[in-house]
Amino acid sequence: MGATATGKSALGIEVAQALGAEIVSVDAMQAYRGLDAGTDKPTAAMRARVVHHLVDAYPASHELTAAEFQVAARAAIEDIRARGKRVLLVGGSGLYFRAVVDDLRFPPRAPEVRLRLEREAERRGAPVLHARLARLDPAAAARIDPGNARRVVRALEAVEAGGAPFPGDAWSRYESVFHLRAAGLRLPRSELFARISSRVDRMMAAGLVDEARALDAVGLSRTARQAVGYRQVLEASPQAGEEELREAIVAATKRLVRRQESWFGADPRVRWFDPRERDVVAAMTAFFTAPATATAPSGSV
């Protein structure tokens, strides 16, 4: 795991081969077919080297949820384990990672309630709804940025649909349903931001703008529309030039990186590695295969 542009996909291939593992992607946007230019998916050549699960698993029109992903990823894990192979999770979507490995249970959905709340958020602003959430479910409100309308609406939807607070105690426990070892990739901000700049250049050169507009023309789910790069293209004014779009995508990616670093940095299970180190693959492989100790359980995931 780790922030965008730390090299998770490429290193994941090397480590998976060393472990004899198959990869289960925990990248929310790589799960969508058609979101190619902006998600830095493993290439066909990479997937030929190691079997990948949950890459290109859903059409871009599908409204993928963490609860649905949890079920699909755990099914993939059990299939891999039943065939006697190791499982390596690779990705940077913190919510999806924890949905898969931890005992998180998601409240029911109520589309009519969500639609009403979304319309209210558009009229009155997310902070107004966040203040309401703080009265009804203080623990959930404390975890959610007041400006994040989507998450505020989801938490209020859970309260209204279930009549109970959004479950929160499991979020603070970091207790996996699997025997788990977690390796994170981390880089100095200056180098990471330089990589982000280069990555966005590659995205633009690969046809991100045309891809985003073509997907939008045939229908994108609300979740898929949130993908960094695609959202900036689709929300830009028709007069926006390529450089303006590029700057918006770079800025959005840096904001994503800060959230990822905060999310994974709070997880006490993570052992951090520098992807620039020459022996990083050997070091990570040794970490995953070392005998169990009281603080580092042996892991099938």
Side-chain angles (χ1 to χ4, degrees), residues 9 29 56 85 88 131 136 153 173 179 190 196 219 225 240 287 295:
S9 295
M29 299 308 169
D56 288 339
K85 304 203 74 173
L88 185 66
L136 298 173
V153 165
R173 289 201 302 265
H179 295 294
S190 58
I196 287 169
R225 287 179 67 90
F287 168 68
T295 56

Side-chain angles (χ1 to χ4, degrees), residues 179-195:
H179 295 294
L180 176 76
R181 280 186 177 166
L185 300 181
R186 187 157 55 190
L187 285 167
R189 278 279 176 86
S190 58
E191 178 160 348
L192 184 57
F193 284 0
R195 289 192 181 197

Side-chain angles (χ1 to χ4, degrees), residues 65-181:
T65 66
E68 181 181 7
F69 190 89
Q70 180 186 67
V71 172
R74 289 182 179 177
I77 288 168
E78 292 309 311
D79 171 64
I80 297 166
R81 294 170 70 188
R83 290 184 278 106
K85 304 203 74 173
R86 285 193 172 104
V87 181
L88 185 66
L89 307 182
V90 178
S93 296
L95 171 61
Y96 281 30
F97 166 71
R98 292 209 59 195
V100 174
V101 304
D102 292 338
D103 187 23
L104 301 184
R105 302 176 188 184
F106 297 90
R109 289 186 172 267
E112 69 288 350
V113 172
R114 182 177 67 244
L115 181 60
R116 171 171 53 78
L117 290 168
E118 286 172 343
R119 289 172 175 169
E120 184 179 356
E122 290 176 0
R123 293 195 315 271
R124 306 182 65 192
V128 173
L129 272 69
H130 188 272
R132 184 187 309 164
L133 179 64
R135 295 193 300 272
L136 298 173
D137 186 352
R143 296 193 304 270
I144 298 174
D145 183 336
N148 190 328
R150 188 164 179 267
R151 291 194 65 199
V152 171
V153 165
R154 176 68 183 111
L156 280 173
E157 175 192 357
V159 172
E160 292 197 29
F166 194 81
D169 57 338
W171 293 94
S172 60
R173 289 201 302 265
Y174 296 101
E175 296 174 357
S176 181
V177 299
F178 299 104
H179 295 294
L180 176 76
R181 280 186 177 166

Side-chain angles (χ1 to χ4, degrees), residues 177-231:
V177 299
F178 299 104
H179 295 294
L180 176 76
R181 280 186 177 166
L185 300 181
R186 187 157 55 190
L187 285 167
R189 278 279 176 86
S190 58
E191 178 160 348
L192 184 57
F193 284 0
R195 289 192 181 197
I196 287 169
S197 182
S198 297
R199 173 185 166 121
V200 173
D201 287 339
R202 293 196 304 273
M203 290 163 58
M204 301 292 283
L208 171 66
V209 174
D210 289 341
E211 181 178 282
R213 290 171 178 164
L215 287 167
D216 188 47
V218 297
L220 275 174
S221 70
R222 289 179 305 170
T223 304
R225 287 179 67 90
Q226 299 307 307
V228 171
Y230 298 86
R231 178 177 181 175

